[in-house]
Amino acid sequence: METVAPVESAQSGPSVPVSDEQLVAMLVERARSEGLQLTGQGGLLQQLTKRVLESALEGEIADHLGYEKHDAAGRGSGNSRNGGRAKTVLTDVGPVEVKVPRDTAGTFEPQIVRKRQRRLTGVDEMVLSLSAKGLTHGEIAAHLAEVYGAEVSKQTISTITDKVMEGMAEWQNRPLDRVYPVLFVDAINVKIRDGQVANRPVYVVMAVTVDGTRDILGIWAGDGGEGAKYWLHVFTELKNRGLDDVLMLVCDGLKGLPEAVETVWPRTIVQTCVVHLLRNSFRYAARQDWDKVAKALKPVYTAPSEDAATERFLEFQETRGRKYPAIVKLWSDAWAEFVPFLSFDVEIRKVICSTNAIESVNARIRRAVRARGHFPNEAAALKCIYMALMSLDPTGKGRKRWTMRWKAPLNAFQIAFEGRLTPSNN
């Protein structure tokens, strides 16, 4: 352990090296013996933070003036210390009052605690993290007051979270890769108050890169119900950002969506989510018959080929068609977008047969949105969703899992699509 301070013995006098751990233990023991709390208002952590900040500020002004405090070298230098001013800043351990030094020339610009700065950066990060988890501005203010004894207004919290808008605009317009193996698309309804509270769709596009990682390409707020026309607008924007080729696009079966995809990327295969087809099938069956319907449809979507799936579906139509004509029509109408995955091997099948990959992202978004109830405007809704997306994988473990999961499917894509995923194309 690196030694940090020598301590004189009261009896013998020689200096004894003290390690970091010993120094901390001494501070904690002294705080306890004097009845001082470790945390909270006036606690040891606040006092240490005050000492550290003031020491750093003293170091800054010494560098600025060119001499240490009380140093004779400062005589006749033309500039000198001129006392200080008290200032309270909000830190991770609560509000701390520090003395900021000044110089007679008024040229000193502190960096640790800048002029007019009332919060250290850790507080801003804390507010953004709490907001990303879905807490309202009022709840964040209450949390800071309860835990840190700091009074932070809702307006201040709004100002902090508004800082992400610049980053969001840059993120939303960033250049994209030339090709992606798979796009997953979906829309989430969000309540926005524009005159009156109404559901508005927010469109989300998630891609799997050629390296097997997850990439959210953007979010868009629509002006009505989810529609293929708006999806065409989204796809066109993605193409303008550099996305020229998509091998497969997985969706929930929205009518008109395949035509929108074909307009922008003619070679892209559109795959309807099998899970959505099953869920929609249950709408036309009594609850007690759901297990029977699921069991009868399983041979259709697990068939080894399109021909085999057609035979199994005809059998379902013969045995269940009279009782469930609406289910037969549902699958017949979606057949062209249902069968593409049956032409591929199992490695590709298991990753494109559903939109489960984007559902986990949607779940995080819904959790953040549900906590807010409704939003005053479109910008507030997009800001909340953006912060939720940016906090999806804080440890990076999710990225590693994605990469491992997609290694085999990407090799299969490389063969099935004749080299459209080669690095030179990316």
Side-chain angles (χ1 to χ4, degrees), residues 93-139:
V93 296
V96 174
E97 184 179 289
V98 295
K99 185 178 181 181
V100 181
R102 296 182 295 188
D103 61 341
T104 54
T107 57
F108 176 53
E109 296 283 346
Q111 300 300 310
I112 294 292
V113 182
R114 298 176 183 271
K115 290 183 178 180
R116 293 178 293 278
Q117 182 180 1
R118 295 298 177 184
R119 303 178 308 275
L120 298 190
T121 55
V123 176
D124 287 13
E125 293 169 358
M126 186 191 311
V127 169
L128 293 175
S129 176
L130 293 172
S131 184
K133 290 176 170 57
L135 271 69
T136 64
H137 292 173
E139 290 170 337

Side-chain angles (χ1 to χ4, degrees), residues 248-326:
M248 300 195 72
L249 184 143
V250 185
C251 60
D252 60 2
L254 177 67
K255 187 177 181 180
L257 186 58
E259 290 76 14
V261 175
E262 185 178 6
T263 301
V264 181
W265 302 298
R267 295 194 296 172
T268 300
I269 297 175
V270 178
Q271 174 65 50
T272 291
C273 172
V274 176
V275 174
H276 276 84
L277 270 178
L278 288 172
R279 290 176 183 168
N280 293 335
S281 299
F282 296 151
R283 295 179 182 177
Y284 303 109
R287 178 64 182 86
Q288 61 267 25
D289 292 340
W290 285 5
D291 290 341
K292 296 178 182 178
V293 171
K295 185 176 181 180
L297 287 172
K298 186 174 181 179
V300 179
Y301 61 83
T302 58
S305 65
E306 181 179 346
D307 291 339
T310 302
E311 292 179 6
R312 303 290 83 78
F313 182 65
L314 290 175
E315 292 174 1
F316 175 86
Q317 188 173 353
E318 291 176 3
T319 57
R320 309 279 180 176
R322 289 186 179 180
K323 188 173 184 179
Y324 307 116

Side-chain angles (χ1 to χ4, degrees), residues 4-204:
V4 296
V7 176
E8 280 195 12
S9 171
Q11 297 177 347
S12 59
S15 297
V16 179
V18 179
S19 69
D20 291 344
E21 291 181 355
Q22 290 173 324
L23 182 59
V24 171
M26 289 166 58
L27 289 171
V28 172
E29 183 59 33
R30 179 177 177 181
R32 286 176 177 170
S33 64
E34 296 178 0
L36 183 65
Q37 292 183 345
L38 297 180
T39 60
Q41 189 69 24
L44 176 61
L45 289 179
Q46 281 192 349
Q47 293 191 25
L48 285 175
T49 302
K50 172 182 173 67
R51 297 279 183 89
V52 170
L53 290 176
E54 289 181 344
S55 296
L57 288 168
E58 281 296 330
E60 285 189 0
I61 196 168
D63 288 340
H64 176 71
L65 297 175
Y67 61 89
E68 296 294 333
K69 196 172 184 178
H70 305 305
D71 192 335
R75 295 174 184 175
S77 64
N79 195 11
S80 60
R81 288 171 173 79
N82 187 27
R85 67 183 185 279
K87 179 177 182 178
T88 300
V89 293
L90 181 59
T91 71
D92 293 347
V93 296
V96 174
E97 184 179 289
V98 295
K99 185 178 181 181
V100 181
R102 296 182 295 188
D103 61 341
T104 54
T107 57
F108 176 53
E109 296 283 346
Q111 300 300 310
I112 294 292
V113 182
R114 298 176 183 271
K115 290 183 178 180
R116 293 178 293 278
Q117 182 180 1
R118 295 298 177 184
R119 303 178 308 275
L120 298 190
T121 55
V123 176
D124 287 13
E125 293 169 358
M126 186 191 311
V127 169
L128 293 175
S129 176
L130 293 172
S131 184
K133 290 176 170 57
L135 271 69
T136 64
H137 292 173
E139 290 170 337
I140 295 173
H143 174 80
L144 294 176
E146 179 181 354
V147 178
Y148 301 100
E151 296 296 331
V152 182
S153 68
K154 294 182 182 179
Q155 181 58 46
T156 299
I157 294 171
S158 180
T159 301
I160 295 172
T161 57
D162 282 344
K163 292 180 181 179
V164 306
M165 297 302 287
E166 293 181 6
M168 175 181 167
E170 183 179 350
W171 171 80
Q172 184 76 17
N173 295 288
R174 72 193 189 281
L176 302 177
D177 292 346
R178 198 196 69 78
V179 58
Y180 289 102
V182 186
L183 292 189
F184 295 93
V185 302
D186 204 357
I188 301 172
N189 284 324
V190 178
K191 295 184 184 298
I192 296 177
R193 185 178 70 247
D194 187 8
Q196 61 181 4
V197 178
N199 280 330
R200 295 267 299 278
V202 173
Y203 298 81
V204 183

Side-chain angles (χ1 to χ4, degrees), residues 343-363:
S343 303
F344 300 97
D345 63 26
V346 65
E347 296 296 345
I348 293 181
R349 281 192 182 198
K350 65 183 181 182
V351 294
I352 65 167
C353 66
S354 74
T355 57
N356 284 348
I358 198 174
E359 288 295 338
S360 60
V361 175
N362 290 346

